[in-house]
Amino acid sequence: MSLEKTLSIIKPDAVKRDLTGKIIAMFEEKGLRVVAQKKIWLSKEQAGSFYDVHRDRPFFGELCEFMSSGPIVVQVLEGNSAIELNREIMGATNPDQAEPGTIRKEFALSMTENSAHGSDSSETAREEISFFFSGLEILQF
Ligand code: GDP
């Protein structure tokens, strides 16, 4: 186990339904600490730039519309094996396939409106954290 940082996003469907506190509690209960956090509202272009890797996928347009449809909470989570742990706590992309007790099983509305994002590798985590945060905005213990 190693101490890692990962990028987490509470997506517009969850922020809109005031689930932010409940979702953060799920991370904290499993040992992930919030070391940077802000609530922002992305433009469609900014959402497209964040999800650039999916630009050629059929769901890209819908994903960008959704991610720019309201405020999101972007945060850096820190903890042992934070990247994998965050994804376990989120559950599968498709909420129908997510394990009980995961964020997506409990809260997601659909495959697109699936309440949370988490980086999927250490390289992606580094890129995604620096997409949203400068070094000065991240707490160092
Ligand atoms: P994640 O890492 O579990 O978020 O999944 P991906 O990186 O593969 O996809 C990014 C986001 O695009 C997902 O969280 C969904 O919101 C959306 N998405 C992925 N695959 C599909 C799909 O097949 N259909 C739709 N409608 N949305 C999808």
Side-chain angles (χ1 to χ4, degrees):
M1 286 207 295
S2 63
L3 194 66
E4 294 175 342
K5 289 185 177 68
T6 190
L7 185 86
S8 159
I9 303 179
I10 304 176
K11 293 186 177 182
D13 66 292
V15 173
K16 227 172 260 171
R17 288 176 289 148
D18 293 322
L19 295 169
T20 303
K22 283 193 176 125
I23 290 175
I24 293 168
M26 290 165 85
F27 292 130
E28 291 180 335
E29 276 158 19
K30 295 269 170 72
L32 293 178
R33 172 179 282 163
V34 177
V35 294
Q37 189 180 61
K38 54 192 171 190
K39 186 179 272 189
I40 58 173
W41 193 329
L42 294 178
S43 67
K44 211 170 143 184
E45 290 67 33
Q46 289 167 329
S49 167
F50 180 73
Y51 277 119
D52 197 49
V53 65
H54 293 311
R55 199 164 284 277
D56 296 331
R57 308 285 286 278
F59 57 83
F60 181 73
E62 190 185 337
L63 179 60
C64 295
E65 285 287 345
F66 164 59
M67 288 301 289
S68 59
S69 67
I72 59 174
V73 173
V74 289
Q75 51 194 3
V76 178
L77 303 177
E78 185 179 74
N80 284 320
S81 305
I83 296 165
E84 197 186 333
L85 181 56
N86 178 31
R87 290 187 66 87
E88 270 173 37
I89 297 167
M90 289 191 328
T93 311
N94 182 345
D96 292 339
Q97 288 162 12
E99 293 292 325
T102 59
I103 292 168
R104 284 165 166 172
K105 187 63 171 188
E106 297 299 309
F107 302 130
L109 300 175
S110 67
M111 183 93 159
T112 303
E113 300 192 60
N114 62 358
S115 304
H117 166 85
S119 311
D120 64 2
S121 69
S122 51
E123 195 190 338
T124 319
R126 254 193 313 278
E127 285 169 14
E128 293 184 347
I129 289 170
S130 61
F131 185 92
F132 287 110
F133 294 97
S134 73
L136 278 176
E137 292 176 301
I138 303 170
L139 267 182
Q140 309 290 338
F141 289 97

